[in-house]
Structures are given as C-alpha cells and as structure tokens.
Amino acid sequence: EGNKLFKLPKSIGYLKKLEFFSIKYNYLKKLPTDIGNLTKLTFLDIRDNNFKDKEIAKIEEMLPSTNILSDR
C-alpha cells in the first residue's frame, strides 16, 4: 500500500499461493496479464490507483473468483 508504484512486474504471476493482495494508494494504470495465474487469490484491493473502468473489467475477467475492491 502506498508505495508509489507505477508498474508491477510480470513475475507477480509466480506467486501462485498468494491469497490477499492490497496495492491501493499507488499510481497503477494496469496490471500484467500474469496476474490471472493467481488462482488462489481471494481478495484484491486496487482502490486509489489510476485504473479506468475498462481495465478494472479486464482484471475482473482475469480473476473471476476474486473479491476485488476498486473505485468503480
């Protein structure tokens, strides 16, 4: 949270056992498609970033079983 991130590395997709991920209060506009590999992810907080509605919809599509908190 609040790390002033503009981008996440593709390697985020290797964290296959990750269940909770909060990346709020950053400057992210999109997430790497590799985030879809996080099949155990149950909660993702992306509030207070720079995501447009289209990108949020894409994230929701990649992670259909994940509870996603966004500004939308």
Side-chain angles (χ1 to χ4, degrees), residues 9 18 23-24 29 35 40 44 50-52 67 69-70:
L18 188 66
I23 48 175
K24 63 183 177 178
K29 292 182 180 179
I35 197 126
K40 302 258 189 218
L44 176 64
N50 296 321
F51 294 109
K52 295 189 178 195
N67 180 17
L69 290 180
S70 70

Side-chain angles (χ1 to χ4, degrees), residues 49-69:
N49 277 283
N50 296 321
F51 294 109
K52 295 189 178 195
D53 286 346
K54 185 177 179 180
E55 183 62 25
I56 293 171
K58 188 174 164 184
I59 295 166
E60 290 171 342
E61 188 175 302
M62 287 189 290
L63 298 167
S65 300
T66 303
N67 180 17
I68 301 172
L69 290 180

